[in-house]
Amino acid sequence: VEVEFQTAALELAVAGVGDTVVSYLLTQLPQFADLVSWAPLQPVLEERFAFVTRSGGTLSPATRAFMELARRHVSALQGKADSWRSRAS
């Protein structure tokens, strides 16, 4: 079954419909943490994100501030994922 949202895939796994591949961080959400088990993928899958703007365009101060906020948030999430990954090894 193909779904749009990873949380929907987790709900299907919890219901016993099948297995899924999602971000480990989602498996730690309170509504799923005690209901699913996980196995790390080897090699680890990585995802890259980018901010996209019109060619030649300039970023507003608000966009720059949001980019910095997003960078810090993703860095914090990566730190959590790295610590969980080291525990799973």
Side-chain angles (χ1 to χ4, degrees), residues 33-57:
D34 294 331
L35 301 174
V36 297
S37 60
W38 63 277
L41 298 173
Q42 293 298 331
V44 173
L45 295 178
E46 294 186 13
E47 190 168 1
R48 297 184 187 264
F49 297 90
F51 282 91
V52 179
T53 187
R54 180 184 60 207
S55 183

Side-chain angles (χ1 to χ4, degrees), residues 21-35:
V21 175
V22 298
S23 168
Y24 172 79
L25 296 171
L26 288 174
T27 68
Q28 299 308 295
L29 291 172
Q31 65 266 38
F32 299 117
D34 294 331
L35 301 174

Side-chain angles (χ1 to χ4, degrees), residues 4-84:
E4 184 69 25
F5 299 105
Q6 290 184 42
T7 51
L10 280 171
E11 289 170 2
L12 290 170
V14 167
V17 174
D19 301 318
T20 189
V21 175
V22 298
S23 168
Y24 172 79
L25 296 171
L26 288 174
T27 68
Q28 299 308 295
L29 291 172
Q31 65 266 38
F32 299 117
D34 294 331
L35 301 174
V36 297
S37 60
W38 63 277
L41 298 173
Q42 293 298 331
V44 173
L45 295 178
E46 294 186 13
E47 190 168 1
R48 297 184 187 264
F49 297 90
F51 282 91
V52 179
T53 187
R54 180 184 60 207
S55 183
T58 59
L59 299 176
S60 71
T63 299
R64 282 192 217 98
F66 178 72
M67 289 172 69
E68 177 58 23
L69 179 68
R71 185 196 64 73
R72 283 185 278 159
H73 181 70
V74 169
S75 291
L77 291 175
Q78 185 62 56
K80 286 182 181 181
D82 290 344
S83 72
W84 291 327

